[in-house]
């Protein structure tokens, strides 16, 4: 009998992690192939500058709407928007630090590397990495969770259901294409949510904005 390691308990879940991977792997990937580039871009944290630009436009639009409607546009409102925008940047930097550090320290192989070329498991979208020992955690899922959490309080009600679903869609996408195991994406949900929450709390106190 092989010795049970700590990784077998917290990461492999006694084999459940791999079994769940095979359930999700390939699910609807070919059916939704036209949408895959958009799903990939939504979770790619390298596009963060474009997110910032979009958020600036959102802030200007909301501020202009307050002026048109005759609502308060004093210093407190300005500080509220500044706190939110600063929290978005802070949350992103914290997320990059945590995700990058965990990937480098833990060095877990991606599924298509774990199983090899003759097992039928391959990366179904995108180019395989030269160094694929960075499966845990998922940067795509952490980033998607971060921006979805941060935007939830700022967008109109009709968009809120999409923001709730976005992180879970990212989880499915990354496992279905063979880029991650379920444990990678589940952990990343908590990382993204935690980074957003921590950055928001610090920013609110810094700008003296109360809920």
């Amino acid at each position: 009998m092989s010795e049970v390691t700590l990784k077998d308990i917290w990461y492999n879940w006694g084999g459940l992690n791999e079994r769940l991977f095979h359930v999700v792997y390939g699910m609807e990937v070919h059916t939704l192939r036209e949408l895959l580039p958009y799903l990939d871009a939504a979770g790619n944290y390298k596009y963060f500058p474009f997110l910032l630009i979009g958020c600036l436009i959102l802030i200007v639009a909301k501020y202009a709407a307050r002026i048109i409607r005759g609502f308060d546009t004093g210093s407190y409102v300005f500080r509220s928007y500044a706190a939110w925008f600063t929290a978005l940047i802070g949350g992103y930097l914290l997320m990059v630090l945590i995700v990058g550090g965990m990937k480098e320290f833990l060095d877990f192989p991606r599924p298509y590397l774990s199983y090899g070329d003759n097992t039928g498991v391959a990366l179904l979208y995108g180019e395989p990495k030269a160094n694929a020992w960075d499966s845990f955690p998922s940067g795509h899922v952490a980033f998607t969770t971060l921006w979805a959490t941060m935007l939830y309080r700022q967008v109109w009600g009709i968009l809120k259901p999409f923001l709730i679903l976005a992180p879970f869609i990212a989880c499915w996408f990354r496992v279905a294409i063979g880029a991650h195991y379920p444990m990678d994406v589940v952990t990343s949900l908590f990382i993204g949510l935690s980074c957003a929450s921590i950055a928001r709390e610090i920013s609110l106190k810094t700008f003296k904005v109360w809920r």
Side-chain angles (χ1 to χ4, degrees):
M1 180 181 293
S2 59
E3 181 180 353
V4 177
T5 65
L6 187 60
K7 181 182 176 183
D8 291 327
I9 298 173
W10 75 265
Y11 183 76
N12 294 329
W13 304 338
L16 181 60
N17 193 27
E18 290 190 11
R19 289 196 292 273
L20 288 175
F21 168 78
H22 285 289
V23 171
V24 180
Y25 176 66
M27 183 184 294
E28 302 298 331
V29 169
H30 295 292
T31 304
L32 301 175
R33 179 159 293 276
E34 298 299 323
L35 296 177
L36 297 186
Y38 302 102
L39 295 177
D40 182 60
N44 193 330
Y45 56 83
K46 294 179 181 179
Y47 293 125
F48 182 66
F50 296 100
L51 175 64
L52 283 183
I53 293 173
C55 289
L56 279 175
I57 295 173
L58 175 63
I59 289 174
V60 171
K62 294 187 70 173
Y63 199 79
R66 294 185 70 90
I67 295 175
I68 293 172
R69 296 177 180 180
F71 294 162
D72 178 33
T73 55
S75 62
Y76 184 82
V77 175
F78 181 81
R79 292 202 314 272
S80 297
Y81 288 136
W84 175 74
F85 192 74
T86 303
L88 178 62
I89 297 174
Y92 169 78
L93 294 176
L94 181 60
M95 181 215 71
V96 170
L97 181 65
I98 292 175
V99 171
M102 292 179 71
K103 283 178 177 288
E104 187 69 25
F105 178 75
L106 294 173
D107 220 23
F108 288 179
R110 291 181 181 265
Y112 58 86
L113 181 64
S114 299
Y115 287 97
D117 297 331
N118 300 320
T119 59
V121 175
L123 187 64
L124 301 181
Y125 177 80
E127 293 295 328
K129 290 187 174 183
N131 178 17
W133 292 82
D134 60 349
S135 187
F136 182 85
S138 168
H140 276 73
V141 174
F143 181 53
T144 302
T145 306
L146 174 75
W147 63 250
T149 303
M150 294 301 301
L151 283 172
Y152 186 83
R153 292 174 179 269
Q154 297 294 330
V155 300
W156 297 273
I158 193 173
L159 295 175
K160 290 184 184 296
F162 166 74
L163 293 178
I164 294 174
L165 290 175
F168 299 101
I169 294 174
C171 288
W172 160 80
F173 168 62
R174 298 304 290 173
V175 176
I177 66 171
H180 289 284
Y181 288 104
M183 182 59 175
D184 303 335
V185 298
V186 170
T187 302
S188 299
L189 286 173
F190 290 100
I191 291 174
L193 183 61
S194 298
C195 290
S197 300
I198 292 171
R200 180 173 178 272
E201 289 297 320
I202 294 175
S203 190
L204 288 176
K205 291 181 180 179
T206 301
F207 285 89
K208 298 181 179 178
V209 175
W210 317 115
R211 294 175 183 81

